[in-house]
Amino acid sequence: MKAIKRYLTSGLVIAMSLVTINSGLAASNAKPVFFPGGDVPARIQFLGNIDGENFFNNGGSAYGNRFPDYVPTTSVKDANPFLRPTAITSFKEEIFVCDMGKSQITILNFKTKQVSKIDYKFKAPVSITVDADGTRYVLDAGASKVLVFSAQNKFHRSFSSAEAWKPIDAAIVGELIYVIDGKKDQILVFNKISGDFVKSFGQNGESTGEFDMPASIKSDKNGLLYISNTMNGRVDIFNGDGKFLGQYGTVPNTASGNFAHPQGIALDRENRIYVVDNSFENVQIFNDKKQFLMPFGIVGNTPGGLNMPQAIAIDYDNASYFSKIVAPGRSIEYIILVANQTGDHKISVFGFLKQ
């Protein structure tokens, strides 16, 4: 399907409707999978998949597109696959995967090519947030706690709410950590050092400033908070005091630039926001003026395919590791990691192409 309207904003192509995707591995020749496709300049390339703990031992065999003249062979199954990754984040040379299926957090180190785990008996680790000094904050929904680990993955302390709650995701701004409470559909704010409760904002509902199953919270370089309001079909923006500032999307609908069920959120250094929609099974990109730029990802077990995606992370530090599989004549600025709940491949890797 051709795009109805295209134009350039912030260096990205804006596609107001679905775009043609150059997808799939041919029977005898692998071609790069680009987004957008057709005659629209490509901005994102699908690079492959990370399916489990043996990614490095398999030589990166889960890659979808090798160049030049790559001929696909039978997919190599990971001996220790991820089961249900609910969150993914990166810090320097490491990528952290929260696997609810295994109740563990796996760490892939792209410098040493080693895989390790946080040595702790988690109940339901749904998310992990890493501070600038490397401190890890793990949200264990099963234990109803925020668990704090050092940069060396040693358990340090924990904190919780005085009332029954369900921590879902967190964002750090200065000395504060903002935590989504999935039980009351609100944001609880704590001092990240002491764990002392500071304040809360939001409540269950459909009106401005209210939430219905919020799933992800991220902060930008200015300290603004972006919260995916899943059942309300929008992404809300707040300042640090909890004041509502605006939103992406209107009501749940199928038009480009809107959402059905937004989940994971990520922001790049240009303050572009990437929003996962697990009903559309794609990712939509917006600029900081709330303008819709483009979608990427297609449905199914195919190169560039997503299957009930939930989480997303942007990683600048490890992009060079994937440079060997970028299409000839192209290079990537950063990689985009998307965690899938179902399907053959649990983490899809995309590259943002330099222009």
Side-chain angles (χ1 to χ4, degrees):
M1 182 183 297
K2 293 183 178 179
I4 296 174
K5 183 178 181 181
R6 305 183 186 106
Y7 56 95
L8 296 176
T9 298
S10 301
L12 276 175
V13 174
I14 295 181
M16 297 306 294
S17 65
L18 296 177
V19 295
T20 304
I21 305 299
N22 176 18
S23 63
L25 294 177
S28 61
N29 185 35
K31 296 181 179 179
V33 179
F34 290 126
F35 301 88
D39 59 351
V40 182
R43 296 310 307 264
I44 289 174
Q45 181 188 337
F46 169 69
L47 300 176
N49 303 288
I50 302 174
D51 291 335
E53 299 173 29
N54 287 336
F55 176 71
F56 298 122
N57 292 336
N58 288 339
S61 59
Y63 288 145
N65 304 296
R66 290 183 182 273
F67 295 98
D69 302 323
Y70 169 61
V71 177
T73 58
T74 303
S75 177
V76 178
K77 299 292 185 182
D78 196 291
N80 294 291
F82 298 126
L83 298 183
R84 187 189 166 200
T86 56
I88 184 168
T89 192
S90 67
F91 180 74
K92 296 183 177 180
E93 68 274 6
E94 294 180 320
I95 290 177
F96 301 78
V97 180
C98 286
D99 191 339
M100 281 279 286
K102 293 182 175 181
S103 294
Q104 71 183 29
I105 296 177
T106 302
I107 306 172
L108 290 84
N109 189 305
F110 280 77
K111 182 179 181 179
T112 64
K113 309 299 185 292
Q114 298 295 314
V115 177
S116 59
K117 302 177 184 67
I118 295 181
D119 185 16
Y120 190 87
K121 191 173 182 180
F122 299 105
K123 291 186 177 181
V126 293
S127 182
I128 181 171
T129 299
V130 183
D131 204 355
D133 64 355
T135 302
R136 293 85 154 100
Y137 294 83
V138 177
L139 282 73
D140 193 324
S144 298
K145 294 179 179 179
V146 177
L147 307 169
V148 186
F149 296 82
S150 71
Q152 292 73 42
N153 300 315
K154 301 298 183 182
F155 176 74
H156 187 52
R157 64 186 186 278
S158 68
F159 59 88
S160 186
S161 171
E163 300 180 0
W165 74 320
K166 184 179 181 181
I168 298 296
D169 196 20
I172 296 171
V173 180
E175 296 300 310
L176 301 178
I177 181 168
Y178 294 76
V179 183
I180 293 176
D181 176 8
K183 187 176 183 65
K184 293 186 177 180
D185 286 350
Q186 62 181 358
I187 309 301
L188 302 185
V189 188
F190 301 86
N191 181 289
K192 70 177 183 181
I193 305 299
S194 66
D196 292 338
F197 174 77
V198 176
K199 60 187 174 184
S200 65
F201 63 89
Q203 62 182 12
N204 179 264
E206 300 178 359
S207 300
T208 297
E210 296 180 337
F211 305 107
D212 192 351
M213 292 185 65
S216 179
I217 180 170
K218 294 294 180 291
S219 63
D220 68 11
K221 54 190 176 184
N222 298 314
L224 299 183
L225 301 166
Y226 300 77
I227 303 169
S228 60
N229 202 336
T230 302
M231 298 309 293
N232 285 333
R234 62 182 189 251
V235 173
D236 294 329
I237 311 169
F238 295 83
N239 67 13
D241 294 326
K243 180 181 178 181
F244 177 81
L245 300 179
Q247 66 187 53
Y248 293 81
T250 52
V251 296
N253 70 54
T254 58
S256 297
N258 292 283
F259 312 106
H261 295 110
Q263 292 277 332
I265 299 172
L267 292 105
D268 66 18
R269 292 175 181 172
E270 301 301 319
N271 238 28
R272 289 181 289 250
I273 182 171
Y274 293 65
V275 183
V276 172
D277 194 309
N278 71 356
S279 289
F280 290 168
E281 295 189 291
N282 71 0
V283 178
Q284 297 189 66
I285 311 175
F286 301 79
N287 65 17
D288 57 3
K289 298 179 179 62
K290 303 188 185 68
Q291 293 172 306
F292 171 62
L293 301 177
M294 62 172 281
F296 68 90
I298 48 180
V299 181
N301 294 311
T302 184
L306 300 176
N307 292 277
M308 287 192 69
Q310 179 164 331
I312 185 170
I314 288 176
D315 182 354
Y316 287 82
D317 294 325
N318 298 303
S320 61
Y321 184 85
F322 295 84
S323 61
K324 61 186 177 182
I325 49 171
V326 178
R330 309 304 296 266
S331 60
I332 55 175
E333 183 178 350
Y334 51 84
I335 57 173
I336 307 160
L337 304 147
V338 183
N340 301 295
Q341 298 300 286
T342 62
D344 293 342
H345 303 293
K346 292 302 188 290
I347 297 176
S348 302
V349 185
F350 300 84
F352 187 92
L353 298 171
K354 293 181 180 180
Q355 298 302 299

